[in-house]
Amino acid sequence: MSLVSCSATELAKLIRAKSVSAVEVAEAHLQRIEAVNPSIDAIVQLSPSVVTDARRADDDLRHNRVRGPLHGVPFTVKDWIETEGIVCAAGIEARRDYVPKRDATVVARLRAAGAILLGKSKPGSTADVYPEPHNPYRVAHTPGGSSSGEAAIIAARGSPLGLGSDSGGSIRWPAHCCGIAGLKPTSGYVPNTGHVPIITGLVDPRTTIGPMARCVDDLVIAWQTIAGIDGCDAAAIPMPLGDASSVAVAGLRIAYFTAMERASPTREVCSAVAAAVEALSAGGATVTQACPPRIDESLSITRAYWSRPASVSPNDWRPHGKSSLSADDVERSLFEWDRLRRAFLGFMNDFDLIVCPVASETAPARNDMRHEDFVYMLPFSLTGYPVVALPVASADGLPIGVQLVARPWHDHVALACARMVEDSVGHLAAPPL
């Protein structure tokens, strides 16, 4: 368990120091996947070139060639993100045998940084091709959705680092359910090129690809690697990245809340938020109990969005399903959406960070998902704000995460604060697999 319990950052250092070979690291993770996947059913495809790629990484090191900061480190990818030469079904029957001809931009960037693709993980929001994976802490409970398999395999020590995607909480909720860390970057930082379903900025400004891992340092290095325009995604913005290591938490103004309409947070969830706030306060931040205005409108705005049809083609209007909304309904929902975004911007003039729950409770039983499970996450999808979901506590053997939400383009602030909270509360115990 020693190698598979290491973070991606630790593995990169060990490999560069030649304390361990990339082949040893790759084989350890393949053996771990073989051991845990029958229980959690998280991995659907393995890369056929894992060991070959690891041998090449070791050979490069012997010749003093380091490809990047993740040289030799294995990673996994949600099966909504395309990978060259490996089936990407995306949970859709019509794509059951579809093999992409090229990597998604984010996958290509991780490979260019020296990382080695282990395989593809199940999206848990559809069972057309693959059934929902299991929570490694308790298999009768959900691992969250939809980056479900990614969270499960990382928590189970089958992968140190992964890529998921988040529209309404699909990185954050699985991270909460499975006790790992995840970053939903500011919308526009990371290109969505190669994501299935197809994401376009005007049609879906909520969805973004982001990293998932067991520690904040790994989120930082992965975010730095995958961010930046690619000349393909028109919604990607050429914004410079902030430096999380340069953020002074002392003096930051932090709002926190747990109460929200349609939410009934458990005592343990409220205590987890309190623990995160206490850690930041101890670091010199000023904390205030406050909630953004109009936040309770988020679910109705999102439901109106879900009712709109979307095209299954990037170049032709081929809508999937029919809209139940009139033209006036659509225009009203866009007006309300923009009004919410303006209200949040005004609130964030007074605060640098928001701390709040990811969900009202720990992972519920499988097949018991409700829209209300997402009410804490939806507001920050609608605003496109950066959010770190971080495990802080547990209750009855199941993890509890919190959200750390920063202003747009201040992902580094959320990451720096998450690192301080992580240092204070420590890491959760590994799942009993």
Side-chain angles (χ1 to χ4, degrees):
M1 287 289 290
S2 57
L3 283 180
V4 297
S5 295
C6 289
S7 69
T9 306
E10 291 167 340
L11 289 172
K13 291 177 181 177
L14 289 171
I15 292 169
R16 283 197 301 272
K18 300 179 184 177
S19 299
V20 65
S21 71
V23 168
E24 289 174 306
V25 171
E27 289 180 340
H29 284 87
L30 289 173
Q31 289 168 11
R32 183 63 179 167
I33 290 172
E34 184 179 10
V36 301
N37 208 50
S39 298
I40 61 174
D41 210 14
I43 295 294
V44 290
Q45 306 288 339
L46 286 173
S47 169
S49 63
V50 176
V51 176
T52 300
D53 293 342
R55 288 194 183 110
R56 186 177 298 116
D58 287 332
D59 185 63
D60 283 341
L61 277 182
R62 281 192 288 272
H63 292 86
N64 297 315
R65 295 190 297 263
V66 178
R67 296 187 63 187
L70 292 168
H71 189 100
V73 176
F75 72 104
T76 42
V77 177
K78 178 182 182 180
D79 196 42
W80 280 6
I81 301 170
E82 294 192 335
T83 45
E84 180 183 356
I86 301 172
V87 168
C88 180
I92 301 169
E93 181 60 41
R95 289 176 58 101
R96 179 181 288 273
D97 299 316
Y98 178 74
V99 179
K101 295 181 180 179
R102 60 184 60 86
D103 285 331
T105 298
V106 289
V107 175
R109 286 176 174 174
L110 284 180
R111 290 195 204 252
I116 295 170
L117 178 64
L118 278 173
K120 305 296 291 292
S121 60
K122 286 186 182 181
S125 61
T126 175
D128 289 356
V129 176
Y130 307 125
E132 183 185 11
H134 301 269
N135 189 312
Y137 281 91
R138 192 169 300 158
V139 295
H141 289 240
T142 181
S146 61
S147 304
S148 318
E150 199 57 46
I153 198 62
I154 292 171
R157 277 52 179 174
S159 172
L161 177 68
L163 293 174
S165 58
D166 190 309
S167 299
S170 292
I171 287 174
R172 291 165 284 162
W173 197 43
H176 161 79
C177 291
C178 295
I180 69 164
L183 169 67
K184 182 191 84 66
T186 300
S187 296
Y189 250 146
V190 176
N192 286 319
T193 308
H195 186 280
V196 181
I198 297 160
I199 304 300
T200 57
L202 293 180
V203 173
D204 184 2
R206 307 167 311 131
T207 300
T208 183
I209 295 170
M212 305 174 74
R214 292 190 299 273
C215 72
V216 175
D217 282 348
D218 290 356
L219 299 183
V220 172
I221 195 168
W223 168 66
Q224 293 170 335
T225 300
I226 65 177
I229 60 173
D230 67 348
C232 298
D233 182 354
I237 307 296
M239 288 290 290
L241 301 183
D243 180 3
S245 64
S246 69
V247 174
V249 173
L252 292 182
R253 301 161 300 167
I254 296 175
Y256 71 95
F257 68 91
T258 55
M260 190 172 171
E261 188 177 299
R262 299 187 181 91
S264 300
T266 64
R267 177 176 53 83
E268 293 86 356
V269 165
C270 294
S271 295
V273 172
V277 169
E278 182 179 347
L280 295 169
S281 178
T286 300
V287 299
T288 305
Q289 187 170 357
C291 187
R294 297 191 176 277
I295 195 169
D296 292 328
E297 299 174 8
S298 303
L299 181 55
S300 62
I301 294 170
T302 303
R303 281 175 169 160
Y305 173 81
W306 285 334
S307 298
R308 292 162 51 188
S311 177
V312 297
S313 167
N315 299 314
D316 302 299
W317 179 244
R318 291 164 48 197
H320 176 68
K322 294 183 179 180
S323 176
S324 60
L325 303 176
S326 67
D328 282 350
D329 290 335
V330 173
E331 290 300 322
R332 177 174 178 170
S333 72
L334 291 173
F335 169 83
E336 292 174 345
W337 189 345
D338 190 62
R339 184 176 65 186
L340 175 80
R341 289 166 63 91
R342 295 196 310 271
F344 271 53
L345 282 174
F347 180 82
M348 294 304 282
N349 284 333
D350 297 323
F351 296 102
D352 302 292
L353 192 83
I354 299 171
V355 181
C356 67
V358 178
S360 295
E361 59 185 7
T362 56
R366 288 162 53 86
N367 304 316
D368 194 24
M369 187 178 75
R370 307 157 299 166
H371 288 169
E372 285 73 15
D373 291 324
F374 289 84
V375 294
Y376 287 108
M377 294 173 277
L378 295 178
F380 310 113
S381 296
L382 294 173
T383 57
Y385 287 4
V387 188
V388 176
L390 183 73
V392 169
S394 61
D396 192 26
L398 289 168
I400 298 173
V402 300
Q403 292 187 103
L404 295 97
V405 187
R407 297 170 175 171
W409 315 115
H410 286 67
D411 304 43
H412 59 298
V413 174
L415 288 162
C417 291
R419 183 184 280 152
M420 176 168 283
V421 174
E422 181 181 72
D423 289 343
S424 174
V425 303
H427 296 273
L428 296 185
L433 288 176

